Amino acid sequence: MPEQSDTPRDVAPPVLSPGDPATGFDAVVLAGGAASRLGGVDKPGLEVGGQTLLDAALTACAGARRTVVVGPVRPVGRTVEWAREEPAGAGPAAALAAGLAGCTSPYAIVLAADLPFIDAEVVHSLWTTISGAAESRADGAVAVDESGRAQWLTACYLRSALLARIGSFAPDELLGLSLRRLLAGLRLTEVAVPARAAFDCDTWEQVDAARGLGAAGG
């Protein structure tokens, strides 16, 4: 079961506009992983532009009705719930399943905690794309970077669609399962996002580049 953080919320989340679906969305932020290409450092705790990568993700999804962070408990600047895949390090599919267990809204924003420039505008765009796509029967809206690569961990999904896919695997089959396999068969709408929003930090070169961009404000 997710556990509630005692950290007080210091910034109020954006107010949903009257035109937004009243149901809103929840958010799952994946903040585990081995960060092997970074030598095992706590990647979500790295700072870029004066905030940690985890706080950047939490700020971007501040409009969520509830936010579940999957990973070790860390100091954060917002009220969140914490969850952990079993066993720890079982991979993104198992982590996503653990995070969804704490969600109740029809829509789930899913973010990785390694996106220094993700923002609320991108999150809102993903959510409104899928929440307004009932006629197309889409299961999710997935960010696509400038190279055309789908970003499975910058997306908004129908929670029911994700749960159906998760339920199609035995619990032990989720261990080490790739997101590509987990999401196979879902009807996903692609949403082009700025290159900056899709910039992730998997290597020290990328971290250094992000810090340079953050310092320059570019």
Side-chain angles (χ1 to χ4, degrees):
M1 291 291 293
E3 53 186 83
Q4 190 78 17
S5 169
D6 293 328
T7 306
R9 186 186 298 272
D10 60 352
V11 180
V15 176
L16 302 181
S17 72
D20 289 331
T23 47
F25 62 88
D26 291 334
V28 176
V29 178
L30 302 190
S36 57
R37 296 170 70 184
L38 290 170
V41 70
D42 177 28
K43 180 163 65 169
L46 293 175
E47 289 194 7
V48 171
Q51 67 177 343
T52 67
L53 296 179
L54 177 54
D55 276 329
L58 296 180
T59 299
C61 61
R65 293 186 177 274
R66 66 197 308 174
T67 299
V68 181
V69 180
V70 185
V73 176
R74 308 170 174 90
V76 293
R78 298 182 181 276
T79 299
V80 302
E81 297 175 6
W82 297 92
R84 200 72 200 266
E85 73 276 18
E86 294 293 341
L96 180 54
L100 285 174
C103 296
T104 58
S105 296
Y107 306 103
I109 291 288
V110 178
L111 295 179
D114 66 352
L115 303 165
F117 307 118
I118 190 66
D119 58 35
E121 183 176 351
V122 169
V123 166
H124 192 269
S125 175
L126 292 167
W127 174 50
T128 54
T129 295
I130 179 58
S131 64
E135 295 178 358
S136 68
R137 300 178 62 83
D139 295 315
V142 178
V144 177
D145 65 20
E146 60 183 352
S147 71
R149 184 167 59 104
Q151 304 291 319
W152 312 119
L153 295 180
T154 309
C156 184
Y157 300 98
L158 274 173
R159 185 172 61 93
S160 59
L162 286 181
L163 291 176
R165 286 298 299 154
I166 289 168
S168 70
F169 294 90
D172 63 329
E173 292 177 323
L174 291 175
L175 306 183
L177 185 71
S178 70
L179 288 179
R180 181 181 294 275
R181 282 195 59 200
L182 178 67
L183 302 174
L186 293 186
R187 297 159 296 193
L188 301 176
T189 298
E190 296 184 345
V191 178
V193 300
R196 181 180 175 89
F199 191 104
D200 58 9
C201 293
D202 286 328
T203 67
W204 284 115
E205 289 76 14
Q206 291 170 328
V207 172
D208 290 340
R211 286 171 171 165
L213 288 170

